[in-house]
Amino acid sequence: MKRREAAITALVLVLSVVLAWAFWNAFSGPTGDRLAELTATRVPESGVTNPVTAVLLNFRAYDTLLELAVLLAAILGIWAVGKASPGFLPAGAVLRALVGLIVPLLIIAGGYMLWVGGHAPGGAFQAGALLGAAGVTLRLAGYPAAGLPPEALLRVTIGLGVLIFTLCGVALMALGYGFLTYPLDLAKWLILVIETAATLSIGATLAAAYLGGRADPTDSGDGVTR
């Protein structure tokens, strides 16, 4: 036991020294071009004017593709658990009226966030979060499927972001460019297509995740499974 404790102590000390060195070197090492400065100079080549969108959908598009793949893997894991729990009781008159007002506004706001993402704060993840919130609102109001389409179409919608992202990359390779290396004259429209597909996927994934399982078509929405 003493040897094990000594080995663990030595390992912790070595890691502490390495981390301390890395921390010191990060602040006192030679200064060069920072990522923010490099990004600002290359934004005109990205097809958009918003630096955040330029980074997420162009400069580090691989990372964003993997993020969508993580969401896809997460919802597949949730579906593997089984059917969703029974829905909430139907909404009363006041809540139904509020839902009828709020849900369309969330959808419109999601579309707006998607469109302005090219030149202002916004984009697919923000737009998808608003669509997901619309689904959560419908579920809380007693809609058993949270406004989601039938399962066959839902599967396509959830996988659409990864599919379109990948197809765009493969098509660019076939045209002689690198994978997800956008030519300047097509960059804006390719990013818009990818973001539109990602928005639908993210919104559907978040709403489906809130259900906690596959939607049960026999759930009438009154808390009782028929």
Side-chain angles (χ1 to χ4, degrees):
M1 292 295 295
K2 291 183 178 180
R3 290 182 178 179
R4 180 182 300 176
E5 293 176 358
I8 293 175
T9 301
L11 179 60
V12 170
L13 288 174
V14 171
L15 291 176
S16 300
V17 171
V18 171
L19 290 174
W21 172 83
F23 183 81
W24 174 259
N25 188 64
F27 284 93
S28 63
T31 59
D33 293 333
R34 298 294 182 180
L35 289 178
E37 299 170 356
L38 293 173
T39 299
T41 59
R42 303 297 294 272
V43 165
E45 304 173 18
S46 67
V48 294
T49 57
N50 182 12
V52 176
T53 303
V55 171
L56 294 179
L57 272 299
N58 195 323
F59 303 152
R60 44 157 274 190
Y62 280 75
D63 290 351
T64 306
L65 172 58
L66 291 175
E67 289 168 5
L68 291 174
V70 168
L71 287 176
L72 177 60
I75 193 60
L76 292 177
I78 292 172
W79 280 348
V81 174
K83 294 181 180 179
S85 58
F88 297 97
L89 293 175
V94 175
L95 182 54
R96 281 200 305 270
L98 288 174
V99 169
L101 175 65
I102 292 173
V103 170
L105 289 177
L106 287 171
I107 295 173
I108 293 172
Y112 172 77
M113 294 297 288
L114 170 64
W115 178 252
V116 301
H119 60 272
F125 284 91
Q126 293 85 342
L130 288 171
L131 294 184
V136 172
T137 302
L138 289 171
R139 175 67 167 175
L140 291 173
Y143 294 85
L148 294 170
E151 185 171 339
L153 182 57
L154 177 60
R155 290 176 180 272
V156 174
T157 304
I158 286 177
L160 194 63
V162 173
L163 177 63
I164 295 299
F165 220 136
T166 304
L167 288 178
C168 285
V170 173
L172 289 170
M173 289 179 63
L175 294 174
Y177 303 96
F179 185 75
L180 296 177
T181 301
Y182 313 129
L184 183 57
D185 56 337
L186 295 178
K188 174 183 177 180
W189 301 109
L190 287 173
I191 289 175
L192 180 59
V193 168
I194 291 172
E195 284 212 298
T196 301
T199 296
L200 295 174
S201 290
I202 293 168
T205 299
L206 294 178
Y210 184 75
L211 294 179
R214 298 192 308 275
D216 187 355
T218 64
D219 182 1
S220 62
D222 57 2
V224 179
T225 300
R226 304 302 183 192

